[in-house]
Amino acid sequence: MLRQTYDPKVTRELAVMKVIFPLIGLVICVAILGLYLTSPDRIAALIAAFMATLIMSAKLNDIDPQAWLADVLARIADTPISKLEQLLPWNWQPHGLNAQAA
């Protein structure tokens, strides 16, 4: 029978991911809702919320948001629908790395 080892560091990191990340998402949603409800220009509020979501997704995946967004905007027109998933922050690789791997 295999015995599981207890690693407090891994347990603490999992607890942080399960508790803190949803709280961050909730705070972002409340801020976006407040911005949407109080903004005289609701379309601008939705655009700001969309951009904040993109930036936070990149940051949570340890990616430079500006580099990621610039690369995605440059590549999205030539990317087939079946490969759009590769441009998401958690799957993204800079264009130079994809060319070297091929």
Side-chain angles (χ1 to χ4, degrees):
M1 175 190 266
L2 293 176
R3 186 174 165 202
Q4 290 184 335
T5 58
Y6 174 74
D7 186 356
K9 183 178 179 184
V10 172
T11 305
R12 186 173 43 247
E13 289 173 359
L14 288 174
V16 166
M17 288 182 2
K18 288 183 178 180
V19 174
I20 300 299
F21 285 167
L23 288 177
I24 291 170
L26 179 62
V27 168
I28 291 171
C29 288
V30 168
I32 290 168
L33 180 63
L35 182 64
Y36 180 75
L37 293 176
T38 59
S39 175
D41 185 3
R42 292 190 175 184
I43 293 175
L46 289 176
I47 292 170
F50 178 72
M51 291 304 295
T53 303
L54 290 177
I55 291 168
M56 287 305 296
S57 294
K59 286 183 178 181
L60 286 173
N61 287 284
D62 294 324
I63 295 172
D64 175 28
Q66 186 176 3
W68 170 72
L69 192 56
D71 185 56
V72 168
L73 291 175
R75 293 170 43 192
I76 197 164
D78 298 328
T79 304
I81 292 175
S82 61
K83 294 188 178 186
L84 282 178
E85 169 177 297
Q86 294 174 356
L87 300 179
L88 296 172
W90 46 91
N91 294 333
W92 179 75
Q93 293 293 320
H95 190 62
L97 294 178
N98 285 340
Q100 291 173 358

